[in-house]
């Protein structure tokens, strides 16, 4: 008999709801338990121990399986957390700055494919067993692991002992609140790791960035590689996608003769081109369509769309071209009525968005490139956050495990955004793009718009570093390369001279040589 709808959701109920049901109704031997127990072989003493499984939801995140093993014979214990969901279509990287004691209680989900880093001391935890903890717990775990066999190191290699002991002291100072601030990052190609957010995070304190996986990352998490050989360029699928995405069935309709091979002709405006690509979600061959569009009073942009017929992956991006400008651009638009919400807006991947009245900040990399309206970008931010936090996308009414104080803050945050989307409040939207590739529609173009201010600004050193501009050298690089070659030759001559002098001092050079 088929399982009734919603059974999978019931298996991963919030912990608060499970405990409330258990306390309210009581649990008999014949009824289901909150924690499942399984007799399991202990790999330490080869006797039978007990594995406990808890299927639950984490607030602001998704379903996980928490496992704990205990052996009564040798007292061996182990615990880990495993994501219950599938591998996400894109990898994710979280950056978090810990600058107060309350931040040490932020929850962290570290899957078995995640790389955890403490940036200030250049300490990296490679992929390993999954963990559900908080910032303080992770720091304590790292300190305990490093402390193992320190006594032996002190006897055998005292210099290494001192270095590790210094790191342990730093970790102890961090977890007790004596060393603030420090930064941590969680980088998971599978997209199943996470750091708990807060509506109070401002000024780059909490950053979340999604990225397309590299072929090596796909192979590391079990996608691609193995028995399946990577498809050669000649084996790429035809540009035609499954029937529901054909030009004749799309609205608005694509040009009948608008799909061309990007290598056949020069790229023209309003023509749709197709070229072979690899799906970042499942590594299967797919096709990417692109179209060049001219935005009045701005520049040409390229709209790109990818749909994978194997896993259903979809992505839409907006790319701008041209040379890197000397200065960045800051656009400030005053939204005073509902008509202003319909202004077109192009937010590039390098653009940061701020709205002081709505307490909203988006760092560069959030949402990638988007061509929409002011109302559309606010709606997308609201929906993405609401689905992530309250799990409304899967039909839930909100996470019962979210604390009342945190939920009240999130409700107030979403209420402010809803008022902005409805046009009930006036607010200011600020787009700051170091590459000057973002745009907001002006209702009075080409005349100046009284509600909009556009100003160029000098990029900071950090912005130049983040964009990779500090390492770019377009003039005189041949001289630099020649100097490097001379230095290499001089180093070789010095090394040969040192070896000859050493041989002479040891009497290895023949007399008169």
């Amino acid at each position: 008999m088929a399982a009734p709808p919603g059974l999978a959701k019931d298996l991963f109920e919030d912990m608060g709801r499970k405990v409330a049901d258990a306390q309210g109704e009581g649990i008999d031997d014949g009824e289901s338990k909150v924690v499942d127990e399984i007799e399991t072989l202990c790999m330490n003493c080869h006797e039978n121990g007990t594995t406990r499984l808890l299927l639950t939801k984490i607030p602001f995140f998704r379903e996980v399986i928490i496992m704990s093993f205990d052996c009564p014979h040798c007292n061996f214990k182990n615990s880990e957390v495993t994501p219950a969901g599938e591998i996400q279509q894109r990898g994710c990287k979280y950056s978090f700055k810990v600058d107060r004691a309350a931040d040490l209680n932020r929850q962290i989900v570290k899957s078995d494919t995640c790389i955890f880093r403490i940036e200030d001391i250049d300490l990296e935890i490679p992929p390993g067993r999954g963990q559900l903890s908080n910032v303080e717990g992770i720091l304590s775990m790292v300190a305990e692991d490093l402390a193992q066999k320190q006594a032996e190191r002190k006897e055998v290699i005292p210099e290494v002992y001192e270095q590790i002991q210094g790191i342990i002291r730093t970790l102890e100072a961090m977890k007790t609140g004596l060393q603030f601030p420090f930064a941590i990052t969680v980088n998971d190609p599978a997209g199943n790791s996470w750091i708990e957010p807060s509506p109070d995070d401002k000024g780059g304190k909490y950053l979340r960035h999604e990225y397309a996986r590299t072929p090596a990352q796909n192979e590391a998490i079990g996608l691609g590689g193995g028995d399946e050989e990577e498809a050669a360029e000649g084996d790429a699928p035809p540009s035609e996608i499954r029937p529901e995405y054909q030009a004749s069935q799309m609205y608005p309709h694509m040009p009948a003769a608008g799909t061309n091979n990007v290598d056949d002709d020069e790229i023209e405006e309003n023509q749709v081109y197709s070229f072979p690509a690899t799906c970042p979600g499942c590594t299967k061959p797919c096709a990417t369509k692109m179209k060049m569009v001219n935005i009045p009073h701005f520049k040409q942009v390229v709209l790109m769309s990818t749909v994978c017929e194997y896993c259903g992956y979809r992505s839409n991006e907006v790319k701008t071209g041209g040379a890197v400008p000397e200065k960045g651009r800051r656009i400030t638009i005053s939204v005073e009525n509902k008509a202003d919400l319909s202004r077109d807006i192009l937010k590039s991947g390098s653009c940061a968005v701020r709205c002081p009245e709505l307490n909203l900040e988006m760092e560069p990399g959030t949402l990638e490139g988007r061509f929409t309206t002011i109302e559309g970008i606010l709606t997308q931010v609201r929906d993405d956050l609401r689905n992530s936090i309250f799990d409304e996308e899967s039909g839930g009414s909100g996470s019962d495990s979210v604390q009342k104080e945190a939920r009240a803050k999130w409700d107030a945050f979403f209420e402010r955004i809803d008022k902005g989307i409805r046009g009930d409040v006036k607010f200011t939207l600020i787009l700051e793009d170091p590459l000057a590739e973002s745009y907001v529609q002006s209702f009075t173009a080409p005349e100046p718009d009284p509600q909009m201010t556009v100003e160029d600004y000098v990029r900071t050193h950090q912005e130049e570093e983040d964009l990779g501009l500090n390492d770019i050298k377009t003039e005189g690089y041949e001289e630099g390369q020649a100097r490097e070659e001379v230095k290499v030759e001089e180093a070789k001559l010095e090394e040969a001279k040192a070896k000859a002098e050493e041989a002479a001092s040891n009497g290895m050079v023949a007399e008169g040589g």
Side-chain angles (χ1 to χ4, degrees):
M1 181 176 178
L7 179 58
K9 296 179 183 178
D10 295 337
L11 293 175
F12 291 91
E13 287 183 345
D14 295 325
M15 192 60 212
R17 187 179 305 171
K18 284 189 173 184
V19 173
D21 292 344
Q23 293 177 344
E25 301 178 2
I27 296 179
D28 299 330
D29 294 337
E31 296 182 357
S32 60
K33 298 180 180 180
V34 175
V35 178
D36 296 320
E37 296 183 358
I38 303 173
E39 188 175 2
T40 312
L41 178 67
C42 175
M43 302 307 296
N44 188 42
C45 67
H46 304 289
E47 297 289 343
N48 284 338
T50 302
T51 295
R52 294 175 175 85
L53 299 177
L54 173 62
L55 284 65
T56 186
K57 292 180 182 177
I58 296 178
F60 318 109
F61 193 52
R62 57 173 64 91
E63 298 88 352
V64 296
I65 301 174
I66 301 176
M67 295 180 288
S68 175
F69 176 78
D70 181 24
C71 178
H73 303 281
C74 65
N75 296 322
F76 175 75
K77 296 181 179 180
N78 184 34
S79 61
E80 59 182 290
V81 59
T82 301
E86 60 191 21
I87 295 175
Q88 305 305 306
Q89 292 181 339
R90 296 169 68 88
C92 66
K93 181 178 181 180
Y94 294 87
S95 300
F96 182 57
K97 183 182 293 184
V98 183
D99 55 13
R100 56 180 180 172
D103 295 336
L104 295 172
N105 294 324
R106 294 289 185 97
Q107 289 188 10
I108 294 179
V109 175
K110 176 183 173 296
S111 75
D112 55 358
T113 59
C114 169
I115 298 175
F116 179 89
R117 283 184 57 85
I118 304 174
E119 299 295 341
D120 297 68
I121 57 177
D122 197 23
L123 178 64
E124 180 176 303
I125 303 176
R129 65 186 180 92
Q131 291 177 294
L132 169 61
S133 184
N134 56 18
V135 177
E136 182 181 358
I138 293 286
L139 296 178
S140 299
M141 182 271 297
V142 176
E144 291 174 1
D145 289 348
L146 290 176
Q148 294 181 6
K149 299 185 178 180
Q150 273 292 82
E152 296 156 353
R153 294 192 190 98
K154 187 176 182 179
E155 298 294 333
V156 180
I157 40 177
E159 61 277 3
V160 175
Y161 164 83
E162 292 296 337
Q163 293 176 357
I164 295 179
Q165 200 64 27
I167 296 175
I168 293 175
R169 287 193 292 267
T170 302
L171 292 172
E172 293 291 338
M174 287 178 174
K175 76 173 187 178
T176 55
L178 299 178
Q179 184 167 328
F180 286 146
F182 61 91
I184 60 174
T185 58
V186 168
N187 188 354
D188 188 359
N192 287 324
S193 296
W194 162 86
I195 299 178
E196 178 185 355
S198 170
D200 298 330
D201 295 337
K202 298 179 182 178
K205 179 182 177 72
Y206 182 95
L207 302 177
R208 178 180 183 272
H209 174 64
E210 292 186 354
Y211 59 89
R213 289 184 289 267
T214 64
Q217 289 173 328
N218 276 321
E219 186 172 355
I221 63 176
L223 296 177
D227 296 333
E228 293 184 10
E229 296 293 334
E230 296 184 1
E233 294 183 1
D235 298 334
S239 60
E240 292 80 17
I241 307 181
R242 51 185 176 178
E244 56 265 39
Y245 298 111
Q246 293 301 316
S248 60
Q249 299 182 14
M250 295 185 69
Y251 183 82
H253 295 299
M254 293 168 56
T259 302
N260 307 305
N261 189 306
V262 73
D263 296 327
D264 292 343
D265 307 290
E266 294 184 0
I267 297 177
E268 300 178 359
E269 288 187 11
N270 299 322
Q271 289 289 329
V272 179
Y273 296 87
S274 177
F275 57 88
T278 300
C279 173
C282 66
T283 72
K284 299 281 188 179
C286 63
T288 295
K289 292 184 179 293
M290 60 175 287
K291 179 180 180 180
M292 182 178 291
V293 178
N294 184 25
I295 299 179
H297 311 290
F298 185 54
K299 62 171 70 172
Q300 287 182 330
V301 300
V302 177
L303 307 179
M304 303 185 68
S305 175
T306 302
V307 178
C308 178
E309 61 180 351
Y310 297 100
C311 67
Y313 172 84
R314 298 184 185 184
S315 70
N316 297 284
E317 296 184 61
V318 181
K319 302 290 187 181
T320 54
V324 176
E326 295 183 359
K327 295 183 178 181
R329 178 164 297 174
R330 185 182 297 109
I331 304 175
T332 304
I333 176 70
S334 177
V335 181
E336 300 180 354
N337 49 54
K338 291 185 177 181
D340 291 329
L341 293 171
S342 63
R343 291 177 185 258
D344 290 335
I345 179 173
L346 171 62
K347 190 199 84 67
S348 72
S350 60
C351 176
V353 180
R354 291 186 288 114
C355 182
E357 294 82 359
L358 302 183
N359 195 24
L360 176 65
E361 290 189 12
M362 289 190 295
E363 296 297 325
T366 306
L367 297 181
E368 296 297 336
R370 288 291 184 272
F371 185 38
T372 178
T373 61
I374 295 179
E375 179 184 2
I377 199 166
L378 291 178
T379 301
Q380 188 167 12
V381 171
R382 179 201 62 186
D383 293 345
D384 288 351
L385 279 174
R386 195 191 296 273
N387 291 334
S388 174
I389 294 168
F390 296 129
D391 196 28
E392 293 183 350
E393 188 177 43
S394 59
S397 59
S399 178
D400 294 342
S401 301
V402 180
Q403 297 180 0
K404 292 183 178 180
E405 182 180 355
R407 178 160 190 136
K409 289 183 179 180
W410 282 113
D411 288 339
F413 172 77
F414 289 127
E415 179 60 26
R416 286 194 297 268
I417 294 184
D418 287 336
K419 289 181 179 179
I421 293 174
R422 294 193 300 264
D424 295 340
V425 296
K426 298 180 181 180
F427 60 90
T428 303
L429 198 66
I430 304 172
L431 282 73
E432 193 167 291
D433 191 345
L435 292 179
E437 293 180 343
S438 297
Y439 157 85
V440 177
Q441 180 185 8
S442 171
F443 286 159
T444 62
E447 299 297 327
D449 192 325
Q451 296 178 227
M452 186 187 306
T453 302
V454 180
E455 55 181 328
D456 294 336
Y457 69 92
V458 178
R459 287 187 290 263
T460 64
H461 177 79
Q462 185 60 44
E463 287 177 333
E464 298 257 346
E465 184 69 25
D466 294 340
L467 297 171
L469 301 179
N470 291 333
D471 300 326
I472 295 179
K473 186 176 183 181
T474 58
E475 297 179 357
Y477 54 88
E478 301 92 344
E479 298 176 0
Q481 183 177 1
R483 285 195 296 269
E484 290 296 328
E485 293 177 353
V486 170
K487 290 181 180 179
V488 171
E489 292 298 328
E490 290 178 350
K492 290 181 178 179
L493 290 174
E494 290 292 334
E495 183 180 0
K497 183 179 179 181
K499 288 182 178 180
E501 292 176 353
E502 181 181 1
S505 62
N506 294 333
M508 299 179 63
V509 178
E511 184 177 354

